[in-house]
Each structure stands twice: as structure tokens, then as C-alpha cells.
Amino acid sequence: MSAHSSVIHQNALLHEKARLFLDSELAKAGHPDIKSSHGDLFAVLFEHDEVTLTELASLCERSKSTVSVMVDHLQRKGYVIKEKTRDQDARSVFVSLTVEGRKLQKIFNEISDKMQARLEGIFSEDELQLLEKMLKKTATKFS
């Protein structure tokens, strides 16, 4: 395996391990119906009281159709509400958290803290800063 394919392979392994960890922690917290892929949506909704579906997709850097499917799932589970706009543009759909959805913020923060603690157990502060810098550069430039 070349160095280039090894980087891609290691990234894929880390992604899978992080996904399994998140899904396991969410299940332990009593929310097996929420998957790691929903995390970006919740992060945006924790910061914003209400966003359009289009804004949510843009902020999560996912397609509108993917986000729409995810929001439909979360709505069926009682975590979000979808509402048509109240102005002239009836095509806009707004998404917001329910009371149950808002309660998840504490759980997501606790899981995030656990993941951060794992990284801090592996890397020094300088290494973490360098890793973050390299990952941001990769995410920005990779297309």
C-alpha cells in the first residue's frame, strides 16, 4: 500500500471507529434511533432556533435531498418540527427542535467531551493543533 492510499485508508478507519463510538454512546444514552450522521443537523439546530431546510443543508454541507430525508426521520421520532413558511414564499420549509430534541444537547456535549478526552490521551496539545490544522486544510482543499 502506498503512502497516499494509506492516508486515505487510515482516515476511513478513523471515520468508522468514530461513527461506531458515537452510535454506541447515543444508544447507551437511550437514543438508538439517532445516528452519528444526524450530528451535524443537531449541531446547527442547537445554535439556531429555526432554519430553512435549504440553510440547514448548506450549513451541514450536504445535499438538500439528504437533509430532507434525515429531517423526516427525526420528525417521525419527535426531535424536530418542519413547518411551511408563514410569508409569501410557501416553498420554504423551516426546521426547529422540539423540547425532546433540545434535551439532546447535553447528551451530544457529553459525548463530544468523551471524544475530545480520547484525543487528548493520544496527542499533545501541539499535536492536536497541528492535526486540526491539517484536517481543516484537507477538508477545504479536497473536492
Side-chain angles (χ1 to χ4, degrees):
M1 185 177 301
S2 73
H4 298 297
S5 62
S6 179
V7 168
I8 300 299
H9 177 72
Q10 293 304 316
N11 181 61
L13 287 175
L14 177 59
H15 181 267
E16 179 64 8
K17 288 180 180 190
R19 184 192 66 76
L20 291 171
F21 176 79
L22 287 166
D23 289 346
S24 171
E25 290 295 312
L26 286 164
K28 282 189 229 175
H31 300 282
D33 50 343
I34 299 174
K35 300 299 177 198
S36 59
S37 58
H38 298 125
D40 290 340
L41 276 70
F42 279 106
V44 169
L45 293 170
F46 292 149
E47 285 190 33
H48 305 278
D49 288 334
E50 184 177 72
V51 294
T52 66
L53 193 59
T54 301
E55 291 169 330
L56 184 57
S58 176
L59 291 167
C60 293
E61 299 184 31
R62 293 178 185 247
S63 72
K64 188 176 173 185
S65 61
T66 296
V67 170
S68 183
V69 169
M70 295 167 80
V71 166
D72 287 345
H73 170 80
L74 295 174
Q75 184 178 29
R76 282 191 305 276
K77 299 298 182 178
Y79 298 115
V80 301
I81 299 168
K82 275 189 347 183
E83 295 180 294
K84 292 273 187 195
T85 185
R86 293 162 288 286
D87 62 20
Q88 299 108 348
D89 187 3
R91 295 172 297 164
S92 291
V93 174
F94 284 86
V95 181
S96 60
L97 291 169
T98 63
V99 172
E100 281 304 306
R102 183 67 54 198
K103 289 178 185 176
L104 293 171
Q105 188 165 8
K106 181 179 182 218
I107 293 168
F108 272 88
N109 288 343
E110 289 169 355
I111 294 170
S112 181
D113 289 347
K114 285 181 183 180
M115 290 187 76
Q116 183 66 28
R118 282 186 172 200
L119 290 172
E120 290 169 356
I122 298 168
F123 298 107
S124 70
E125 183 63 33
D126 288 343
E127 289 172 327
L128 275 175
Q129 289 177 0
L130 179 59
L131 178 60
E132 182 177 6
K133 182 179 177 181
M134 291 188 304
L135 290 172
K136 281 181 179 179
K137 181 177 181 180
T138 304
T140 302
K141 302 283 184 181
F142 200 92
S143 56

